[in-house]
Amino acid sequence: MMLPREQIIEEFYSGFADGNSETMCSCYHEDIIFQDAIFGILEGHDAKDMWEMLIEKSQGNLEINFADVISDGKRGSANWTAKYMFSSTNKLVVNKIHAEFEFFDGLIYRHVDTFNFYEWAKQAFGIKGILLGWTTFFKRKVQQQALQSLRSFQQKKAKAV
């Protein structure tokens, strides 16, 4: 029998696989704290907008698979894989990610995705990623570009309302 927190994780990744950011974000607490190597730390609406942006940018060319969903009620984890064309370089990326979750009020309150940044950078940037992907400088540059992309998305979204 699946525990309620495991169901939340499954719902989150099922929404992602279906390209439905609304479903994903409904699994998040309003004070969500998300962290990964590309965006750094995002809180609240920034974290939710990130998923919406990533789904929109993928234009339906995103394959999400997840497994090993477990939870003890307070914490949970899952392994997932994202297969997509990286929009900046149009290169195929297959990223294997381990996710850790903490829950509050029955929702995901903290979400940390861990993956090999260098392996990701080699796929996403080709030779540039091979040569520079291991450096702190390159990682910071990618984070700056990711945050800039998120802010542009948010501005465009705000104008559309």
Side-chain angles (χ1 to χ4, degrees):
M1 185 172 141
M2 191 177 298
L3 297 171
R5 303 304 183 260
E6 290 171 345
Q7 288 177 323
I8 295 234
I9 296 169
E10 294 243 349
E11 185 177 332
F12 179 85
Y13 287 112
S14 293
F16 200 3
D18 292 340
N20 188 331
S21 63
E22 285 183 30
T23 296
M24 295 173 72
C25 293
S26 73
C27 299
Y28 271 177
H29 189 276
E30 66 181 22
D31 296 323
I32 181 66
I33 300 167
F34 172 83
Q35 182 176 357
D36 80 352
I38 294 173
F39 286 91
I41 298 172
L42 298 175
E43 298 181 16
H45 289 291
D46 286 348
K48 295 175 181 182
D49 288 344
M50 175 207 51
W51 294 117
E52 185 180 347
M53 177 187 76
L54 293 175
I55 287 172
E56 185 178 292
K57 278 188 168 197
S58 74
Q59 299 177 333
N61 297 316
L62 175 65
E63 184 181 317
I64 301 296
N65 294 295
F66 62 96
D68 309 318
V69 174
I70 57 170
S71 174
D72 65 8
K74 293 184 193 292
R75 297 179 182 271
S77 65
N79 293 313
W80 63 285
T81 303
K83 183 177 179 181
Y84 59 95
M85 297 302 280
F86 184 59
S87 60
S88 298
T89 60
N90 209 30
K91 293 188 181 293
L92 179 65
V93 172
V94 179
N95 198 12
K96 296 178 186 307
I97 302 153
H98 178 73
E100 295 280 336
F101 303 95
E102 291 177 28
F103 301 95
F104 185 71
D105 288 341
L107 296 169
I108 299 168
Y109 174 74
R110 185 165 173 83
H111 176 180
V112 178
D113 278 348
T114 307
F115 57 91
N116 186 319
F117 182 83
Y118 182 56
E119 288 300 316
W120 174 85
K122 290 190 302 186
Q123 294 177 72
F125 291 96
I127 191 72
K128 189 176 178 182
I130 292 168
L131 297 174
L132 301 172
W134 59 273
T135 66
T136 304
F137 167 80
F138 188 81
K139 191 174 184 178
R140 273 200 306 267
K141 188 77 173 158
V142 167
Q143 285 178 343
Q144 288 170 351
Q145 289 174 341
L147 288 173
Q148 188 175 39
S149 184
L150 177 59
R151 297 296 175 237
S152 295
F153 174 81
Q154 289 171 321
Q155 287 174 351
K156 186 177 91 175
K157 186 177 160 182
K159 287 179 183 173
V161 173

